Amino acid sequence: ELTITADMENLSNSLFLDSVPDSWSNRAYPSMLPLGIWYTDLLQRIKELESWVADFNLPVCVWLSGFFNPQSFLTAIMQSMARKNEWPLDRMCLQCDVTKKSKEDITAAPREGAYLHGLYMEGARWDTQTGLIQEARLKELTPTVPVMFIRAIPVDKLETKNMYPCPMYKTRQRGPTFVWTLNLKTKEKPARWVLAGVALLLSV
């Protein structure tokens, strides 16, 4: 006689509904993807890590979304610069420059900092022509953001004029998935983007 436990039934229901079972999501990274896409995403993350640890060299362009804990990588950028220049870590911050390039256009890693790809913007879009945040286009809910160049600098050298402190989250759930805040260039008042709920997302 086959006895089906509550856990087995929940697993079966999740597979039928194409959703990630709770017993899996509790041990995984935050995600709002359906099961099929979630599994593909998981395989891509594993492949990214395997290629990285094969030679222990920083990828030319880092897929930030592929990290279980992206905050650690961003903190490591600051720690590396702090040691190199003997700067106090608590007086440092990250500067973000959005390039006009895609991942395929990047052929060499920067001498300091890192190139990042795989980010999306919700509530607005990044205009590569003007290099500024612009109003979102109709039916473009989460447009991709070009490759970002992130590097660590002293806090007193961070430019804050005409900048929107854009929060970064792992998923559209926001809240508990907060990662970092990056300053992005804008001609509009930052309050406009605050009211629009503009944020960077690592996964959509």
Side-chain angles (χ1 to χ4, degrees), residues 29 39-53 63 66:
Y29 47 87
Y39 183 64
T40 302
D41 178 67
L42 176 64
L43 295 179
Q44 287 178 337
R45 289 169 182 253
I46 294 171
K47 183 179 179 181
E48 183 83 2
L49 290 175
E50 285 178 341
S51 64
W52 193 346
V53 300
W63 181 35

Side-chain angles (χ1 to χ4, degrees), residues 96 98 121 126 133 162-164 166 182-186:
C96 171
V98 183
M121 185 173 286
W126 183 263
I133 301 176
N162 296 326
M163 291 287 185
Y164 166 59
C166 187
L182 297 174
N183 282 356
L184 299 180
K185 292 180 181 178
T186 176

Side-chain angles (χ1 to χ4, degrees), residues 134-172:
Q134 300 285 5
E135 284 283 344
R137 295 191 180 101
L138 290 176
K139 299 182 180 180
E140 283 189 9
L141 301 180
T142 51
T144 57
V145 178
V147 170
M148 288 182 166
F149 173 47
I150 302 288
R151 66 190 184 98
I153 60 172
V155 171
D156 55 7
K157 290 188 178 180
L158 181 66
E159 190 175 338
T160 56
K161 188 178 180 181
N162 296 326
M163 291 287 185
Y164 166 59
C166 187
M168 181 195 300
Y169 299 93
K170 294 179 184 177
T171 71
R172 292 192 305 262

Side-chain angles (χ1 to χ4, degrees), residues 91-128:
R91 297 297 300 160
M92 295 184 66
C93 62
L94 290 179
Q95 175 178 296
C96 171
D97 295 311
V98 183
T99 70
K100 295 184 177 182
K101 300 178 179 180
S102 64
K103 176 193 171 186
E104 290 71 25
D105 298 328
I106 306 296
T107 56
R111 283 186 292 179
E112 59 183 43
Y115 289 120
L116 306 179
H117 74 96
L119 285 87
Y120 305 85
M121 185 173 286
E122 187 174 45
R125 65 183 173 89
W126 183 263
D127 190 330
T128 54

